[in-house]
Amino acid sequence: MPLDPLSPIAPARVRVLLLPVGRIRKSRFQSFVARLEPQFLVRLGDISPDGRPDRNMFSPAAFPNGMVIYDFSTHLPSSSHLALSPFELFREPLMVLGLADGSEYASLNPNEVGDDQAREQADEKQDGSFSMDNLFRGVDLLREQYPKVLAHKLLIFDNKPVSSVPPLMPDNVIFVPPITQLRTTTMKTIMCDATATFLAELTSYARSIQALSTIDSPSNAEGSYLRWANQSSSNVSIENAKARPASRILPSETINKRMSMPVQLRPSSSDRPGSQTASRPSTPQEGTRGRRAPDYEFGTSHGRTDGEISISAPTARSEATSEARDSSRDSMSIQGFGSGSLSERNRNRGKGRIGIVIGTLYLIAGRWNDALKELVESTNRARAFSDHIWYAKGVENILVCLLLCAWKGIDFEISSVVSPYAEKAPPPKPAAHTTTAGTLDAPKSSQPSNESARAALVKLSELLPDSLNMIMSIYDRAAANVTEALPDNAFSEAVIRISKLFATLHVFGGTLTYDALEALICCKPLESFAPNPSSRLFIRPLRQDIAELSFKALPPGDTKMVTGDRIIALAGIASVLSMLGLQRKKAIIIKELLTVCIPSLIDARKAGAAEIGIHPAAGLSALSLVGSPDSGGKTSANPSEHGFKELMVAAGQVYGINLLQLLEGPQSGVEELKVNGLNPADNLEQNGASADDGAPASIASEAITRFFGSLHLKYDILRTGLAFCEALPDFDGVLQLSATMLKTAGPAVVPGLNESIFGVTLAKEEQVRLATNIPRTLGAARTLGLTSLEVDYWDDFLVSDVYFEEASPAHRPIYHPKSELDVEADRQSSKPSGPFIYDASSKATAAGTVEKVLVSGEPSCFDLILRNPFEFEVEIEWLKLAVEHLELESLEEHLILGPFRTQTIPIKAIALQAGELRIIGCLIKIRGCREKKFNIYNKPWVPEPETRVKNTGLAAKASNDHTASQDLSPKDKETTNSPGPDPSHLVLTVIREQPLLQIQSISLTQSSVMILEGERQMFRVTLKNVASNSSVDLLLVSFQDSTIAPIQAALKNKDLPRPELYELELQYLRNQAFQLRNSEQLNNVSIGPGEIVEFEFEVLGKPGLSEGAIQIDYACLGMPRAEIKERFFTRRVSIPLSITVNASVMFQRLDVVPFSSDFAWSNQQRHIAVSPKTPTNRSPNPDPQKNRFSTLLDRVGREGSASEHCLVLLDLRNAWPNPITISIDVLHPSSSESGAIPSSASSENLTRAYTIHEYLYPGHTTRTLLLLPRLYLPNLYAPIPILDEKNKRQFVRSQGQLSPEAERDTREKFWYREEFLKHVKGRWKEEFGMGGSGREGELDLRGIRLSRGMLDSLKLDDIAIEMSIHAPGDEETTATDQVVKRLGRSRFELRVDEFVVCKATLRNRSAVPVQPVLRLLPALVDQPAGAALDLDRKLAWTGLLQRVLPPLAAGADCQVELGLCALCSGEFEIGASVEELQVLKDDGLVTGGGKGQGRARSGTDSFSEDLIKDRSRRVWYTSQPCRIIAIGEH
């Protein structure tokens, strides 16, 4: 690591110039320099002293604990710096080390080659201009070009060691073995040998200094030195211009370009190495090495830009004799004599200055004890004679010497000359080396005392601030006199060195410690020693005072400092401020530094471009953008080349700008991203794009940074950096800073749906300039062969949303649940699995989820919403959809995004696999920008600043970092980290390849049909599979018609009564307008590619049917249906139909009336009387004179039919213009026998009993009479069923808030109506002829409604009561009996005064037991109520009229007899009623004390308690009372 040139220890260093020699590459030269840099400290005890007596003035043996500190440099200092020598010796190079690459040459051992002729041949094979002779003469050439340098060495690296030194090998050539053969002490030993030579040569330099009478101050010698330097630089530049190549060197070729030109020798008499020119003594002659100041001329190559050594013919050097020099030095003015004369004063000043220089020589030679002695004595002399700048320089060097002694633990004493409180010492005596009051004894280094050294270090730490302030005051005092003032560059660097020493004290808590000395001398970073910022207020010296002192180093406005010196001064000030943690002040200085550099860079670029004949845009950076090659072929830049970018990053962090991308450098190459891979983040990282670009966490962090600092200051530093990059030109810097400025100016928010785009804070003209600057810079870079320069796009919210466009209806996949494949499940829905119909805590059902589906292998369309808030167009080279889990092919090229708008861009994509596809954003390549993944941000997001300010300045920005948030509470951490925007994604389902069906033909003309109500008509549909490689293995058929929408609208009415809801559901679910015939062919359907299939459908004429559609869902599942887990997708072919439905037979009215049971009894008696042994066959030829009703009456009661009937009257009207035949079928239970209990029967158990045919003319109405057996239903109050499970509701009372009585009445009518429709069916047929076409259909009777009277005539009670009269001892009564004659089912004739028996038979039709109470009520016929019950002397009976009967089981019967006797002739009737004694439950009686089987109320337990709760006792009456006709004997 290079040492700090502005370090407070810099005056103790020896500058070493490292130069490439011979054939060497840049990368190799840098590696050799890197090997030497760690050896910058050389201990004197490790150096072998020179044995020559005239070369032991700086012998290392005199002070073995001393150290020689080297400062390695690869370039000469500027002329302004060289002019400061010998005032500041550390600025002048005192040693030159030539570095050569031994691997570029053949073996350097002549014994391995053979003879001279073979060696010449080996050299010629390589290159004649790079022979071994020229390489060995490199030391002489170094002496010629750098004659003032004390030591010259040539280091040949990476060469095989030779067994013996060649006889003609120069003495100053050192071989360095390869790095694999290096030992730990190899490089240290080499530097010790070079140091020994340097110390030996330093003696002659010191003697020449001592021989001078005085040394001019830098201000006096600067003009003459600069004039000489300009002349020397001009000569060297001419030589370099001749050595430049004629052709332009491309950046790609610069990597392998040689760093030095061939060695050119001046013509000589002999070209062999053995000539006199090649063999020089290691030490020059005294006459030639003598030095004079200030008119001593250096042979230097200052001004070279390529670092090469161009060896030319040596110039004639003027050699003056020592006697002439002595006479010149001893010359003095003859005006005045004595100690107080002006000449004596000047002579004493000269001695003091020479002593300070000699002391400085001891300092850099590591002889710190002798340096202290010489510096203290000479500094006292300078102070005594008011030589201010030399006095200050002497004090500074003494302090440096004391710091070095303290670092090594050497005991020392502090002289009063460095203390500001000491009085001015008297002039010293003329005797040389006499000890005065201010003279310090040399420290004893052989046995240093640690305790005394620590005490001296403490004392030095206390005195150091005052001494440094004294030095500054002396420099200020000297500035008052123009002739004595320091040059601006020297003064600025002196102030910076003092400020750094103050800053080091501040960093280490105001105390000088061994760590502080180690950091100062070895240039170690101070970050690990930084104190807690909260304690800086109590550290002396204060940060504010140190900062004010460092600002004195600022170059004045009218300064004549060259640009390089101004840059060094500003960089030093920034370094001091950085040590103090004053980052904002540091950023201001950095900005000023860049501003100073820009004009000089522009001039240098123009001059360099004109010199080599290229465009100024490529003047200085064609090579700087490309580093040395590595093994992988990529570029690796030198760390020193990133100095500007590090400055920009540091300044940007202060202002709240993230410029870390500047340190990444240009990419070596960008491969094509695999956007359809399984992990797009990995693909992006492999190609230079970060996987976290546009991530919410990164955006949130940048949003916090945006609120930090001033926006105008950010623009100012970015504009300065951009101008600096353009002046270089640094193409990558121009791109990065332009993009960063646009990003800083952007809104960085996600607007809402109806919100306008937030504006950009830059002017439109500047936005356009920055936008056009990027492609222009890229064009210039590509012209130079730099094709890998790219930048990240500046807006992370480019992609606003991605929409999926649904395919056409014929291609669109449709979602289906698995329940639709279950043939026994309902087609519309499946039964709920839980006990609740609706569960509010459950997730949304699949039916409510809109799922987006793609078909694999087929193109799909997406709409990409892009947002551009800037005032310039954005050219998109290509864009792709970024997906996860699956592969998706999508590409759109050459798109233009307009300025300040939101634009929709369609893009087509093809999914290649089946599964779940997740679109997470877009991969977009914008012109001039690297391809980047943009997340989808469609949710409004605006960052909000922190409401609670806990820190100010840079601490407010650092509080959001992890390191600054370690001491925060968890609650503070949550409030500190602002949440970022929420990225969205689009999830799609990709299914396998699907077939495609098309309609080939339809048997209907123009897809329209005319039918009548109740008519069914058939038609055919032909389909063809036009897919190329997919078959149909699943086919589902569904229908839509115009009657469904009104029914669905009516079903939404929550107050709809249950009977009407049932009717609507029945029409919706079970009475559909369309039906597929031969539905079995759907079970194993298979339609291959190109195959044709035909289907037959039926359409039913329904009122309100005007149009319909047949929907055929088909798919290729590729698996058995049983293996489908949750869902499947199909395509749909829809066949629209136009339907006209006309009226046929209209139902007008219904009536049900009671019908006497005597007809059935008489028919049964006749049937028995004919012949019980012969079969009762119907006459094949019925009597034609009988009408249809007579024939119907003859059938009543026969063939096991029921004995109780009702009469049904149906009024029907023909609304069709053609005659129609109506047929009405009456169905009876097939298993019903005589005496069986009638009950509810299913439609499958009913058979046709008889059919009524009516011929109905157009417009006529007919009334049809039907004899229907009375019906019995065991559970009258069962809940009305709900056919559609979706309409079920929980804990909801019946609609309309009906009373329990009304609810029971509604349910009773509903169930008897349903039972009536099971027993009565109707159909119609249009007769052929007279315009008829033979149409036929079904008669819709569901429009009937039953009243209470109709219901009483139709139904049968739970208890059947039959009464009969017979003579005592007889079981039955016939029409031929003498005592009692039976006239009908309940009519009897008997004689007066004859005893008969009245038998009442009770039958329980219900399924539960009943405990009855029978009441008989005899009365007169056709009499008023009062007279009818007056039976005194008219009718007599034996027994009780009211009896409690035992419980009557279900289906059982019982008989009760009562003796009667008519006392007079007349007509009597005996009525009967049965009443429940107690209401029974299933487990016993509800009331009463008895136990036993109870009656479960019919459906009561299933009703809601507040809906039906009938606990009263029921009463049944006989439907036909027993009528008795009493006649007398006559």
Side-chain angles (χ1 to χ4, degrees):
M1 181 182 68
L3 299 181
D4 183 11
L6 300 177
S7 172
I9 311 298
R13 295 175 185 166
V14 178
R15 181 178 287 262
V16 179
L17 184 61
L18 304 179
L19 297 176
V21 177
R23 184 168 51 190
I24 186 172
R25 300 177 187 272
K26 180 180 179 181
S27 59
R28 297 281 291 173
F29 176 75
Q30 291 176 351
S31 65
F32 300 156
V33 173
R35 295 189 203 178
L36 288 173
E37 284 179 347
Q39 309 300 327
F40 67 96
L41 293 176
V42 178
R43 184 174 176 271
L44 296 183
D46 299 333
I47 302 174
S48 300
D50 196 326
R52 292 172 293 181
D54 57 344
R55 296 292 185 267
N56 58 2
M57 180 178 178
F58 300 97
S59 175
F63 192 70
N65 291 333
M67 305 284 289
V68 176
I69 306 175
Y70 286 109
D71 182 12
F72 297 104
S73 175
T74 58
H75 59 86
L76 269 177
S78 63
S79 58
S80 60
H81 284 213
L82 293 175
L84 298 176
S85 178
F87 179 74
E88 292 180 344
L89 284 174
F90 66 93
R91 300 181 182 275
E92 179 185 1
L94 300 179
M95 180 187 296
V96 173
L97 296 180
L99 308 183
D101 188 1
S103 62
E104 294 285 343
Y105 299 91
S107 176
L108 300 179
N109 191 353
N111 298 328
E112 298 179 4
V113 179
D115 52 2
D116 295 342
Q117 184 177 1
R119 182 176 177 181
E120 291 181 2
Q121 294 176 359
D123 293 340
E124 290 176 359
K125 289 182 180 179
Q126 299 180 75
D127 194 339
S129 61
F130 288 98
S131 62
M132 293 296 108
D133 297 338
N134 290 341
L135 181 61
F136 292 153
R137 286 197 296 269
V139 180
D140 297 333
L141 302 178
L142 290 176
R143 287 197 185 101
E144 292 177 2
Q145 288 201 352
Y146 302 96
K148 293 192 63 176
V149 175
L150 302 181
H152 305 78
K153 293 289 183 180
L154 175 62
L155 305 183
I156 303 177
F157 286 81
D158 294 351
N159 188 265
K160 296 180 181 180
V162 296
S163 58
S164 62
V165 179
L168 300 180
M169 184 73 67
D171 297 335
N172 291 334
V173 176
I174 302 176
F175 292 97
V176 181
I179 193 171
T180 56
Q181 301 178 8
L182 282 179
R183 297 180 181 179
T184 308
T185 60
T186 302
M187 297 304 300
K188 183 177 181 181
T189 303
I190 293 174
M191 289 305 302
C192 289
D193 296 342
T195 306
T197 304
F198 165 71
L199 294 178
E201 300 299 330
L202 191 61
T203 301
S204 60
Y205 181 63
R207 299 299 183 193
S208 63
I209 293 296
Q210 290 177 347
L212 299 176
S213 61
T214 186
I215 298 176
D216 292 337
S217 297
S219 58
N220 298 330
E222 184 177 4
S224 61
Y225 191 90
L226 287 177
R227 286 193 300 272
W228 172 87
N230 293 333
Q231 181 181 1
S232 175
S233 300
S234 176
N235 296 333
V236 175
S237 300
I238 296 174
E239 295 178 1
N240 291 339
K242 296 178 181 179
R244 294 181 185 272
S247 62
R248 180 171 57 90
I249 300 175
L250 294 178
S252 60
E253 301 173 356
T254 309
I255 299 176
N256 300 322
K257 184 64 181 175
R258 303 292 179 182
M259 293 302 299
S260 61
M261 297 300 295
V263 179
Q264 302 292 336
L265 295 177
R266 68 180 181 88
S268 61
S269 59
S270 175
D271 294 335
R272 303 300 302 159
S275 62
Q276 294 295 329
T277 58
S279 58
R280 295 186 52 173
S282 59
T283 303
Q285 299 295 331
E286 180 69 22
T288 61
R289 297 306 302 266
R291 302 195 177 202
R292 293 183 303 170
D295 56 348
Y296 189 82
E297 295 183 359
F298 291 86
T300 177
S301 62
H302 173 68
R304 301 180 61 85
T305 60
D306 53 1
E308 301 173 358
I309 298 177
S310 179
I311 303 175
S312 59
T315 58
R317 298 168 55 189
S318 60
E319 300 179 355
T321 61
S322 58
E323 293 79 7
R325 288 198 308 270
D326 293 338
S327 61
S328 169
R329 295 166 188 157
D330 294 339
S331 60
M332 55 184 176
S333 175
I334 60 174
Q335 297 180 8
F337 296 91
S339 60
S341 63
L342 181 61
S343 59
E344 183 66 21
R345 182 181 181 88
N346 292 335
R347 193 163 38 246
N348 288 327
R349 279 189 175 185
K351 292 181 179 180
R353 293 177 181 181
I354 292 173
I356 292 175
V357 173
I358 297 299
T360 305
L361 291 177
Y362 279 113
L363 177 63
I364 65 176
R367 297 272 297 273
W368 302 329
N369 54 347
D370 298 322
L372 276 175
K373 177 181 177 181
E374 190 71 27
L375 286 173
V376 168
E377 180 182 355
S378 301
T379 304
N380 277 324
R381 189 182 298 273
R383 182 179 64 175
F385 293 100
S386 301
D387 197 356
H388 299 301
I389 60 174
W390 289 91
Y391 172 36
K393 174 56 63 177
V395 174
E396 181 183 1
N397 290 346
I398 292 174
L399 291 179
V400 172
C401 191
L402 294 177
L403 292 174
L404 292 174
C405 292
W407 171 54
K408 297 302 294 183
I410 301 174
D411 189 15
F412 60 88
E413 294 182 3
I414 301 177
S415 172
S416 60
V417 72
V418 298
S419 174
Y421 308 108
E423 296 181 359
K424 185 175 181 181
K429 296 180 180 180
H433 303 292
T434 57
T435 304
T436 62
T439 304
L440 177 68
D441 295 337
K444 299 178 181 180
S445 60
S446 58
Q447 297 292 335
S449 175
N450 293 332
E451 295 297 333
S452 59
R454 293 192 187 96
L457 179 62
V458 173
K459 186 176 180 180
L460 177 62
S461 176
E462 295 175 353
L463 184 63
L464 190 60
D466 296 332
S467 299
L468 296 177
N469 290 328
M470 183 186 70
I471 295 174
M472 290 304 306
S473 64
I474 295 173
Y475 280 134
D476 293 339
R477 192 184 312 162
N481 189 354
V482 179
T483 59
E484 296 184 359
L486 271 179
D488 292 339
N489 59 342
F491 178 77
S492 297
E493 294 189 16
V495 172
I496 292 171
R497 288 196 299 270
I498 295 174
S499 300
K500 283 193 174 183
L501 195 52
F502 271 127
T504 304
L505 286 175
H506 179 84
V507 169
F508 285 90
T511 304
L512 192 63
T513 62
Y514 290 104
D515 291 335
L517 293 174
E518 185 74 16
L520 276 175
I521 297 171
C522 299
C523 294
K524 292 184 178 180
L526 302 180
E527 287 79 2
S528 57
F529 308 105
N532 190 358
S534 61
S535 62
R536 287 180 174 176
L537 298 177
F538 308 100
I539 297 177
R540 296 293 185 272
L542 300 177
R543 289 197 305 169
Q544 291 77 7
D545 298 338
I546 301 174
E548 291 177 2
L549 175 62
S550 64
F551 287 148
K552 290 184 178 181
L554 287 172
D558 56 348
T559 182
K560 297 181 180 180
M561 292 174 60
V562 296
T563 303
D565 294 339
R566 296 174 64 188
I567 293 173
I568 293 175
L570 293 174
I573 297 172
S575 176
V576 174
L577 297 176
S578 178
M579 295 172 62
L580 299 174
L582 302 176
Q583 301 297 332
R584 289 186 292 184
K585 292 182 175 63
K586 169 188 171 183
I588 296 175
I589 298 300
I590 291 176
K591 177 181 174 296
E592 182 65 22
L593 187 151
L594 298 178
T595 305
V596 169
C597 293
I598 292 174
S600 299
L601 288 175
I602 295 175
D603 295 340
R605 184 182 64 186
K606 293 179 179 179
E611 190 173 342
I612 62 177
I614 63 174
H615 193 273
L620 295 178
S621 65
L623 299 177
S624 64
L625 290 177
V626 183
S628 57
D630 56 9
S631 59
K634 298 181 181 180
T635 60
S636 59
N638 193 338
S640 62
E641 298 176 0
H642 288 289
F644 153 69
K645 295 183 178 180
E646 291 176 353
L647 285 178
M648 283 301 303
V649 171
Q653 290 178 349
V654 173
Y655 287 102
I657 309 172
N658 184 13
L659 296 175
L660 293 177
Q661 63 273 14
L662 287 175
L663 300 180
E664 298 176 359
Q667 300 293 329
S668 60
V670 180
E671 301 175 359
E672 182 181 0
L673 287 179
K674 183 181 179 183
V675 299
N676 300 319
L678 297 180
N679 193 350
D682 295 341
N683 299 329
L684 292 173
E685 291 174 358
Q686 294 175 0
N687 294 278
S690 174
D692 295 333
D693 291 346
S698 176
I699 294 176
S701 177
E702 292 178 359
I704 296 175
T705 308
R706 290 175 66 90
F707 291 111
F708 176 80
S710 171
L711 186 61
H712 297 287
L713 291 179
K714 293 179 182 180
Y715 289 158
D716 197 9
I717 188 63
L718 288 174
R719 291 188 184 102
T720 303
L722 187 58
F724 185 88
C725 292
E726 292 175 347
L728 281 175
D730 181 3
F731 299 132
D732 183 62
V734 171
L735 296 176
Q736 298 293 347
L737 292 178
S738 298
T740 303
M741 195 167 183
L742 289 173
K743 189 172 186 176
T744 304
V749 299
V750 182
L753 182 61
N754 297 324
E755 297 179 5
S756 60
I757 299 178
F758 287 76
V760 181
T761 53
L762 278 179
K764 179 180 179 180
E765 293 76 11
E766 190 167 7
Q767 294 182 42
V768 175
R769 182 181 65 83
L770 292 173
T772 55
N773 197 21
I774 293 176
R776 185 178 65 251
T777 304
L778 287 174
R782 291 189 177 95
T783 304
L784 298 176
L786 302 177
T787 59
S788 60
L789 291 180
E790 285 179 333
V791 69
D792 287 332
Y793 187 67
W794 40 87
D795 186 9
D796 293 326
F797 305 105
L798 177 63
V799 180
S800 180
D801 209 343
V802 176
Y803 294 101
F804 171 67
E805 290 187 3
E806 294 287 346
S808 61
H811 295 76
R812 184 182 307 162
I814 301 174
Y815 167 86
H816 296 274
K818 183 181 181 298
S819 59
E820 294 189 10
L821 294 179
D822 191 357
V823 294
E824 296 183 4
D826 187 78
R827 186 180 61 84
Q828 298 295 330
S829 62
S830 59
K831 295 183 179 180
S833 58
F836 297 100
I837 299 173
Y838 170 73
D839 187 1
S841 63
S842 63
K843 296 181 179 180
T845 59
T849 303
V850 179
E851 190 168 5
K852 301 176 177 61
V853 185
L854 280 74
V855 180
S856 176
E858 296 185 6
S860 303
C861 295
F862 294 87
D863 286 338
L864 186 60
I865 311 299
L866 301 182
R867 183 174 66 96
N868 180 21
F870 298 93
E871 295 287 350
F872 54 84
E873 293 182 347
V874 176
E875 183 178 350
I876 300 175
E877 296 183 1
W878 55 262
L879 61 85
K880 302 177 182 178
L881 295 176
V883 300
E884 291 179 349
H885 307 150
L886 295 179
E887 294 186 3
L888 184 70
E889 290 185 353
S890 60
L891 180 64
E892 289 292 334
E893 297 179 340
H894 307 297
L895 304 173
I896 298 297
L897 179 59
F900 198 69
R901 68 186 60 188
T902 299
Q903 187 171 334
T904 301
I905 297 178
I907 181 173
K908 291 186 178 181
I910 300 177
L912 303 180
Q913 299 173 352
E916 181 177 333
L917 181 67
R918 185 185 181 96
I919 300 178
I920 58 176
C922 293
L923 283 169
I924 303 179
K925 178 65 174 69
I926 299 173
R927 183 187 177 190
C929 303
R930 65 173 59 94
E931 49 189 293
K932 178 181 178 182
K933 186 196 74 165
F934 293 89
N935 293 329
I936 303 174
Y937 295 105
N938 54 12
K939 301 176 183 178
W941 177 78
V942 177
E944 297 181 358
E946 289 289 340
T947 56
R948 295 183 298 175
V949 179
K950 295 185 177 181
N951 298 288
T952 58
L954 291 177
K957 175 177 175 293
S959 62
N960 297 288
D961 301 335
H962 175 71
T963 55
S965 302
Q966 289 179 351
D967 299 332
L968 297 178
S969 62
K971 183 177 180 181
D972 293 337
K973 289 183 180 181
E974 293 178 1
T975 57
T976 301
N977 298 326
S978 175
D982 187 12
S984 303
H985 57 270
L986 182 62
V987 179
L988 303 101
T989 302
V990 182
I991 60 176
R992 59 177 300 170
E993 295 184 8
Q994 295 297 313
L996 183 62
L997 295 182
Q998 291 183 354
I999 303 174
Q1000 290 292 103
S1001 62
I1002 302 177
S1003 61
L1004 298 177
T1005 304
Q1006 296 182 353
S1007 299
S1008 61
V1009 61
M1010 190 280 293
I1011 57 175
L1012 302 180
E1013 291 183 7
E1015 180 186 0
R1016 294 184 181 272
Q1017 188 170 341
M1018 187 270 294
F1019 60 93
R1020 295 180 179 85
V1021 176
T1022 304
L1023 302 176
K1024 181 180 179 180
N1025 183 10
V1026 297
S1028 59
N1029 53 359
S1030 184
S1031 302
V1032 177
D1033 58 5
L1034 174 66
L1035 197 143
L1036 302 176
V1037 179
S1038 59
F1039 309 97
Q1040 291 287 338
D1041 59 76
S1042 57
T1043 63
I1044 293 179
I1047 294 176
Q1048 290 177 341
L1051 289 174
K1052 295 180 181 179
N1053 185 8
K1054 302 302 180 181
D1055 296 332
L1056 200 65
R1058 283 287 181 87
E1060 296 184 14
L1061 179 64
Y1062 177 84
E1063 287 296 324
L1064 293 174
E1065 292 176 346
L1066 186 67
Q1067 293 293 330
Y1068 178 65
L1069 298 177
R1070 300 183 181 178
N1071 195 19
Q1072 297 181 356
F1074 297 96
Q1075 183 179 359
L1076 174 65
R1077 303 181 66 179
N1078 299 327
S1079 58
E1080 294 80 7
Q1081 67 181 121
L1082 298 180
N1083 297 333
N1084 297 318
V1085 65
S1086 178
I1087 308 175
E1091 295 183 359
I1092 297 176
V1093 66
E1094 184 179 80
F1095 295 96
E1096 293 185 354
F1097 296 94
E1098 283 186 352
V1099 57
L1100 172 64
K1102 294 174 58 176
L1105 180 62
S1106 59
E1107 59 183 11
I1110 301 175
Q1111 298 173 349
I1112 302 177
D1113 295 308
Y1114 61 94
C1116 177
L1117 298 179
M1119 65 179 70
R1121 300 185 182 183
E1123 296 181 5
I1124 298 178
K1125 297 181 179 180
E1126 297 179 357
R1127 58 183 180 172
F1128 63 97
F1129 296 90
T1130 64
R1131 281 179 170 171
R1132 176 173 293 175
V1133 175
S1134 182
I1135 307 172
L1137 299 175
S1138 177
I1139 306 169
T1140 302
V1141 180
N1142 293 324
S1144 55
V1145 178
M1146 302 178 61
F1147 168 76
Q1148 296 288 335
R1149 193 172 69 89
L1150 169 71
D1151 196 2
V1152 181
V1153 296
F1155 188 72
S1156 176
S1157 59
D1158 291 341
F1159 292 97
W1161 178 81
S1162 60
N1163 288 337
Q1164 292 174 359
Q1165 293 299 320
R1166 285 196 300 269
H1167 177 68
I1168 296 173
V1170 172
S1171 177
K1173 297 180 181 180
T1174 58
T1176 58
N1177 294 331
R1178 291 186 58 186
S1179 175
N1181 297 319
D1183 189 358
Q1185 295 183 357
K1186 291 185 177 181
N1187 56 21
R1188 183 175 55 193
F1189 188 72
S1190 300
T1191 305
L1192 183 60
L1193 291 178
D1194 291 341
R1195 298 177 54 87
V1196 175
R1198 300 176 60 184
E1199 299 181 357
S1201 61
S1203 58
E1204 297 188 21
H1205 292 74
C1206 61
L1207 186 60
V1208 179
L1209 290 81
L1210 284 175
D1211 292 347
L1212 302 174
R1213 177 178 177 270
N1214 182 9
W1216 184 242
N1218 296 327
I1220 291 178
T1221 300
I1222 301 174
S1223 300
I1224 299 177
D1225 298 330
V1226 178
L1227 308 180
H1228 286 178
S1230 59
S1231 60
S1232 179
E1233 298 180 357
S1234 180
I1237 299 175
S1239 61
S1240 176
S1242 62
S1243 300
E1244 292 78 7
N1245 297 329
L1246 297 177
T1247 58
R1248 186 178 65 86
Y1250 61 89
T1251 302
I1252 302 297
H1253 301 281
E1254 293 285 349
Y1255 188 80
L1256 193 58
Y1257 288 96
H1260 285 207
T1261 302
T1262 182
R1263 172 166 291 182
T1264 303
L1265 301 178
L1266 303 177
L1267 285 176
L1268 184 67
R1270 299 180 68 184
L1271 306 177
Y1272 172 73
L1273 297 177
N1275 192 359
L1276 299 179
Y1277 310 130
I1280 300 175
I1282 296 178
L1283 302 180
D1284 192 352
E1285 297 289 344
K1286 295 183 294 185
N1287 294 326
K1288 284 189 176 181
R1289 292 178 292 273
Q1290 195 171 13
F1291 309 127
V1292 179
R1293 293 186 59 187
S1294 180
Q1295 292 85 352
Q1297 300 294 328
L1298 298 178
S1299 62
E1301 293 80 6
E1303 181 69 20
R1304 287 195 294 270
D1305 182 71
T1306 299
R1307 295 185 178 184
E1308 186 177 4
K1309 291 179 180 178
F1310 172 81
W1311 287 115
Y1312 273 104
R1313 175 177 174 271
E1314 292 298 314
E1315 193 68 19
F1316 175 83
L1317 294 175
K1318 291 180 182 179
H1319 289 78
V1320 179
K1321 303 290 183 181
R1323 61 185 185 274
W1324 57 266
K1325 183 176 181 181
E1326 183 185 18
E1327 299 294 339
F1328 286 97
M1330 299 180 63
S1333 59
R1335 298 174 182 269
E1336 59 182 9
E1338 296 179 355
L1339 186 60
D1340 187 11
L1341 299 178
R1342 296 202 64 87
I1344 65 173
R1345 294 294 182 267
L1346 298 178
S1347 63
R1348 171 50 58 180
M1350 298 180 188
L1351 185 61
D1352 293 339
S1353 302
L1354 183 62
K1355 73 173 186 176
L1356 292 174
D1357 293 331
D1358 292 337
I1359 302 298
I1361 305 175
E1362 295 183 3
M1363 302 185 66
S1364 62
I1365 305 294
H1366 61 86
D1370 296 338
E1371 293 294 332
E1372 294 184 1
T1373 301
T1374 62
T1376 60
D1377 290 342
Q1378 298 296 328
V1379 180
V1380 180
K1381 184 184 293 185
R1382 191 166 190 170
L1383 304 179
R1385 182 170 177 267
S1386 299
R1387 295 185 61 191
F1388 300 89
E1389 182 180 327
L1390 55 86
R1391 295 179 182 179
V1392 179
D1393 297 332
E1394 291 286 343
F1395 284 94
V1396 295
V1397 177
C1398 178
K1399 183 169 59 176
T1401 303
L1402 304 181
R1403 183 182 303 162
N1404 186 5
R1405 294 191 179 101
S1406 66
V1408 294
V1410 177
Q1411 187 171 7
V1413 176
L1414 177 63
R1415 294 185 178 91
L1416 300 177
L1417 183 61
L1420 294 175
V1421 179
D1422 299 332
Q1423 295 295 324
L1429 297 178
D1430 186 10
L1431 300 176
D1432 190 20
R1433 294 188 298 274
K1434 297 175 183 172
L1435 181 67
W1437 60 86
T1438 60
L1440 298 177
L1441 296 179
Q1442 177 174 323
R1443 301 181 185 183
V1444 177
L1445 302 180
L1448 189 60
D1453 54 5
C1454 65
Q1455 296 180 353
V1456 178
E1457 295 182 353
L1458 180 67
L1460 293 177
C1461 180
L1463 300 181
C1464 65
S1465 58
E1467 293 186 10
F1468 303 91
E1469 64 178 7
I1470 300 176
S1473 65
V1474 177
E1475 183 179 1
E1476 279 186 304
L1477 179 62
Q1478 324 181 53
V1479 179
L1480 302 180
K1481 279 188 176 181
D1482 293 339
D1483 54 351
L1485 297 174
V1486 176
T1487 58
K1491 294 182 180 180
Q1493 287 279 335
R1495 177 183 63 82
R1497 302 309 305 272
S1498 16
T1500 303
D1501 293 340
S1502 62
F1503 300 149
S1504 178
E1505 290 296 329
D1506 60 345
L1507 183 61
I1508 292 182
K1509 195 174 183 180
D1510 186 10
R1511 296 298 183 183
S1512 62
R1513 295 179 296 174
R1514 295 176 294 175
V1515 180
W1516 298 276
Y1517 299 94
T1518 179
S1519 60
Q1520 190 172 357
C1522 180
R1523 177 166 290 197
I1524 301 174
I1525 301 174
I1527 59 175
E1529 295 180 355
H1530 304 289

